[in-house]
Amino acid sequence: MDVLQSFLLGLIQGITEFLPISSSGHLVLGKYILGGDLEAGITYEVVVHFGSLCAILLYYRKLLGDLLMSGVGFLKAPTQKKEDPQVKLIGFILVSMIPAMVIGFTMKDYIEEIFMDPLLVSIMLMVTGLILFLTRFAGDTTKNINLPKSFIIGLAQAFAMIPGVSRAGSTISVSLYLGVKREEAANFSFLMVIPVIAGAMLLQFKEMMEVGVSDAQMISLVVGFLTSFISGYFALKYLIMILKKKGFHYFSYYCWLVGGAGLIYFII
């Protein structure tokens, strides 16, 4: 994968990670169209996701600082801090991780195998479009996240491990179906993915160190990381504004367009 391909795919990742149109699906299709090395896709996928992670950390730096302080306070005085809303949010995030961790550890090899199939990606983009479109019928969205809801949203995150299914689209949509406030749904969606991406990055980093990465590969990975980080930060800000204006379901048309074009191309 050359530097230009890495830049373009990093840009795709940064934008599509936060817009509900499936970053993994776009990376598969993008690498197919650009002629990138699909066999090296998982390593590149995790690195550019790490760029997105850094964008989340920067955007939510104040909230994350508050969560850290509340977490430390809970460890020092659990009885006094157990009703702290920030401590409860930490608990909800941990619960939401469970489905993705179970699927990730038990089906990692299978997921990596289907990751390379652009036809499957096209089909799943159509599914993502349906998930997004149905949010227009979401009723009252004035509720807060609780323990059962956090687990259900975690199931949506695990389902989004299938390439072509948008993680942000699935988790935010399910939150809206459950009546969660729109901004809170977006915030929880991106906070809950922090430990998931961080864990995946650590596992992949270990594999990269064992196999080794050439200087040429390292340059491409750095370019992809920086592009994903910068574009992702601004895409995240844009999505929050759209969600507040209740325009979330409009992304369904884009998913149907890309998914439909993919089906026509790969079947014919």
Side-chain angles (χ1 to χ4, degrees):
M1 184 180 297
D2 60 32
V3 173
L4 178 58
Q5 289 174 329
S6 182
F7 171 80
L8 292 174
L9 292 174
L11 185 63
I12 291 172
Q13 160 63 25
I15 294 173
T16 59
E17 173 64 27
F18 299 106
L19 300 184
I21 52 178
S22 179
S23 60
S24 61
H26 277 73
L27 283 176
V28 171
L29 296 178
K31 280 181 282 194
Y32 186 90
I33 294 170
L34 294 171
D37 180 8
L38 290 177
E39 294 302 321
I42 296 300
T43 297
Y44 184 84
E45 163 85 356
V46 174
V47 170
V48 292
H49 266 85
F50 185 61
S52 298
L53 171 62
C54 291
I56 297 172
L57 296 177
L58 178 62
Y59 186 84
Y60 287 109
R61 58 191 181 279
K62 185 180 184 305
L63 177 55
L64 290 170
D66 293 340
L67 288 174
L68 179 61
M69 294 299 294
S70 295
V72 172
F74 176 75
L75 293 176
K76 291 180 178 179
T79 303
Q80 298 177 15
K81 290 286 185 177
K82 65 180 182 179
E83 296 301 322
D84 185 338
Q86 304 287 35
V87 171
K88 290 184 177 181
L89 179 56
I90 294 173
F92 298 156
I93 292 172
L94 293 175
V95 169
S96 74
M97 291 169 52
I98 295 173
M101 289 178 63
V102 172
I103 298 297
F105 281 113
T106 59
M107 301 183 66
K108 179 177 179 292
D109 293 338
Y110 179 68
I111 291 172
E112 290 187 2
E113 179 181 345
I114 64 174
F115 184 88
M116 307 301 173
D117 188 349
L119 178 59
L120 174 65
V121 168
S122 300
I123 295 172
M124 289 299 104
L125 278 170
M126 301 294 286
V127 173
T128 294
L130 178 61
I131 293 171
L132 297 175
F133 184 76
L134 292 176
T135 62
R136 68 178 300 180
F137 303 111
D140 177 44
T141 52
T142 59
K143 301 175 183 177
N144 295 316
I145 298 285
N146 58 27
L147 199 61
K149 290 176 183 176
S150 64
F151 184 77
I152 295 172
I153 298 169
L155 290 174
Q157 179 166 253
F159 175 66
M161 295 177 74
I162 301 173
V165 178
S166 168
R167 193 208 65 80
S170 297
T171 54
I172 294 175
S173 294
V174 168
S175 297
L176 296 178
Y177 300 154
L178 295 173
V180 177
K181 299 173 184 176
R182 289 179 172 272
E183 188 170 1
E184 185 174 346
N187 292 341
F188 188 72
S189 173
F190 296 120
L191 290 174
M192 68 187 283
V193 78
I194 291 175
V196 175
I197 296 179
M201 185 65 193
L202 289 175
L203 291 174
Q204 191 63 38
F205 182 76
K206 180 181 177 181
E207 293 183 18
M208 289 168 59
M209 292 301 98
E210 292 175 352
V211 176
V213 179
S214 67
D215 292 341
Q217 288 176 316
M218 184 59 69
I219 292 173
S220 293
L221 292 176
V222 170
V223 169
F225 165 78
L226 291 175
T227 308
S228 173
F229 167 59
I230 296 170
S231 61
Y233 178 79
F234 290 102
L236 176 54
K237 293 181 67 174
Y238 179 65
L239 177 66
I240 300 296
M241 290 189 294
I242 290 178
L243 194 59
K244 288 179 180 179
K245 295 179 180 179
K246 301 183 180 181
F248 197 62
H249 68 278
Y250 288 118
F251 289 105
S252 62
Y253 304 119
Y254 173 83
C255 290
W256 285 334
L257 177 64
V258 175
L263 287 175
I264 295 172
Y265 180 83
F266 294 114
I267 291 177
I268 297 178

